[in-house]
Amino acid sequence: MGTNDRAAISLVFLFLVCMASRSSCSLGSSEVQRRSVVPSIYVFGDSLVDVGNNNFLPPPAPRALSPYGIDSSLTGRFTNGYNLADLVARRLGFTKSPPAYLSLTPSSKLDLLTCRVGASYASGGSGILNTTGNGTLTMQKQIMLFSKTKARMWCGRKLNYMISKSFFLISAGGNDFSAFSEMGMSPQDAPAYISSMVSTYVEHINALYTLGARRLGILDVPAIGCTPGSRVPMANGGCNDAANSMAQNFNKLLRVEVAKAVETSMPDMKYSIASTYNFLTDLMDNHLVAVLHHSGIRVIERACCGSGKLNAAVMCSRPNTTYCLDRNDYMFWDMLHPTQATYERGVVAIFYGPQEYADPINFAGLVGIATEINTTMAPGVYAAI
């Protein structure tokens, strides 16, 4: 399928979902919270899914301080409101992401250890490789913390069953590419570096499998070359094609190696790899038409919160930064992270969209959420039951 064909399918899908039910593209008060479809959620990864662990780490770990979280009562998110982990959790019937592991009190930790809630081990700035993320919880450390958690959990004979039916969400890789650039590595080093990232990622997934994970949602690396921060040094303010090419190569190899590993050594693992890359680039490419179809995303290149060129010279919690008032119109909240409005549209796509957005199955298929044609809507419109 060509790029133009995929973009056309993508646009039709997003348009139909958004026109059929505004609740699919926003989190209004009319949204009904359904009974959760999995026992718990366990989250690992970087700032796209960190819900507050970094706020309990000393510098130099980055912290999501005000005005991060301005549109909610939630803290520790590197966006203006809900992040990807929150929105995935809401689609699974929870009100928000499970709590940050480092935020747990003795009382709330008891809920975790007695299998009443899951936990988020994600840490903003971390990566797949142990060398990525100064002062953060590395992916290896995050999995070690989950291992220690499981060793102390008491659910009777239900423990392994509860873990196997729970949802494991991972977002990682973008910061490893930032580290690649900071180390001054050349394009010739990229293939070996990407191969190391993927092989290490598969090792992490296998470690979770050994600990009982059987339902895995993976977020691939987004279009890192199109963030406002990546656009700043570009002469025309366009995307950094070299960075995007590395992300695409990583995403392709990741799919190949995960499929191979699941087939050979993780036979009971069900997984879905969500293409945040495809979703973001499709939304960018079609943003003018998307506005006409009420998607609400109008500002693509410029960050809502920050300062300097494209409002993306520094992170938005730094002194003398400003933030926009029309945040639902912006794709990016700061120099790196999308807005809640962008995340909302992305989660609809990875749950209910075609393989262009999640493969080999989408997130709804992964957890057994049915979809059906709602006859009160336009023909062909998918709506979550």
Side-chain angles (χ1 to χ4, degrees):
M1 181 180 291
T3 301
N4 291 338
D5 293 334
R6 181 170 61 80
I9 292 173
S10 304
L11 181 58
V12 170
F13 165 72
L14 292 172
F15 167 66
L16 292 176
V17 171
C18 293
M19 290 299 289
S21 174
R22 294 294 180 87
S23 65
S24 293
C25 294
S26 64
L27 288 174
S29 59
S30 63
E31 182 175 4
V32 178
Q33 291 298 315
R34 301 176 178 87
R35 182 172 61 85
S36 61
V37 297
V38 295
S40 299
I41 304 173
Y42 299 94
V43 183
F44 305 84
D46 54 27
S47 57
L48 298 187
V49 291
D50 183 4
V51 294
N53 279 311
N54 274 27
N55 283 6
F56 293 86
L57 295 175
R63 295 187 176 187
L65 305 176
S66 178
Y68 287 96
I70 190 173
D71 292 318
S72 73
S73 59
L74 305 174
T75 59
R77 277 79 169 163
F78 288 86
T79 185
N80 58 304
Y82 288 101
N83 70 10
L84 270 172
D86 294 307
L87 295 166
V88 167
R90 289 175 70 92
R91 287 283 160 187
L92 294 174
F94 299 89
T95 58
K96 60 182 178 181
S97 168
Y101 178 79
L102 297 183
S103 74
L104 295 176
T105 64
S107 175
S108 57
K109 187 169 286 188
L110 182 62
D111 289 335
L112 171 63
L113 297 179
T114 53
C115 307
R116 284 180 281 186
V117 299
S120 172
Y121 302 89
S123 177
S126 67
I128 296 166
L129 304 175
N130 284 339
T131 53
T132 300
N134 188 16
T136 66
L137 299 177
T138 65
M139 181 71 74
Q140 185 179 65
K141 177 64 173 178
Q142 293 174 36
I143 295 173
M144 287 175 58
L145 288 173
F146 172 69
S147 178
K148 291 180 179 179
T149 298
K150 185 184 177 185
R152 297 177 59 196
M153 290 173 71
W154 177 248
C155 313
R157 296 179 179 177
K158 296 181 178 179
L159 175 58
N160 289 331
Y161 175 81
M162 294 280 285
I163 296 294
S164 70
K165 295 299 182 183
S166 293
F167 190 82
F168 287 72
L169 179 67
I170 306 182
S171 169
N175 292 317
D176 296 286
F177 285 118
S178 295
F180 179 89
S181 299
E182 291 166 2
M183 289 185 291
M185 300 179 78
S186 69
Q188 289 73 28
D189 299 318
Y193 188 79
I194 290 171
S195 179
S196 176
M197 284 175 62
V198 171
S199 62
T200 305
Y201 208 161
V202 171
E203 290 175 4
H204 292 322
I205 293 170
N206 188 68
L208 289 173
Y209 181 82
T210 301
L211 290 167
R214 294 297 183 270
R215 286 178 171 176
L216 180 65
I218 302 171
L219 304 173
D220 73 6
V221 173
I224 53 177
C226 292
T227 64
S230 292
R231 292 175 185 268
V232 165
M234 306 304 289
N236 60 355
C239 296
N240 183 327
D241 293 336
N244 281 347
S245 178
M246 289 182 66
Q248 287 178 301
N249 290 337
F250 169 84
N251 291 338
K252 290 176 183 177
L253 184 59
L254 178 67
R255 283 166 168 79
V256 171
E257 294 302 320
V258 168
K260 186 188 303 182
V262 168
E263 182 178 357
T264 58
S265 59
M266 294 179 275
D268 298 327
M269 178 71 84
K270 291 182 61 180
Y271 73 95
S272 174
I273 301 181
S275 184
T276 58
Y277 189 101
N278 283 351
F279 174 76
L280 285 174
T281 53
D282 283 348
L283 194 58
M284 290 175 192
D285 292 342
N286 299 305
H287 71 277
L288 292 178
V289 179
V291 171
L292 182 63
H293 291 161
H294 308 285
S295 85
I297 301 295
R298 295 189 295 111
V299 184
I300 305 299
E301 298 88 0
R302 182 179 177 83
C304 169
C305 184
S307 66
K309 184 178 178 181
L310 298 179
N311 219 26
V314 297
M315 297 293 282
C316 77
S317 58
R318 297 289 182 87
N320 302 317
T321 56
T322 60
Y323 55 84
C324 64
L325 298 179
D326 49 348
R327 291 181 282 279
N328 287 337
D329 293 341
Y330 278 69
M331 174 169 281
F332 288 97
W333 161 246
D334 64 11
M335 64 189 300
L336 296 173
H337 305 99
T339 59
Q340 175 183 301
T342 299
Y343 285 144
E344 286 168 351
R345 288 152 180 79
V347 168
V348 171
I350 66 180
F351 262 85
Y352 310 113
Q355 277 195 316
E356 284 74 20
Y357 296 123
D359 64 284
I361 55 176
N362 59 28
F363 277 24
L366 179 62
V367 298
I369 299 176
T371 58
E372 67 175 7
I373 302 299
N374 187 329
T375 56
T376 65
M377 301 178 182
V381 175
Y382 287 97
I385 295 175

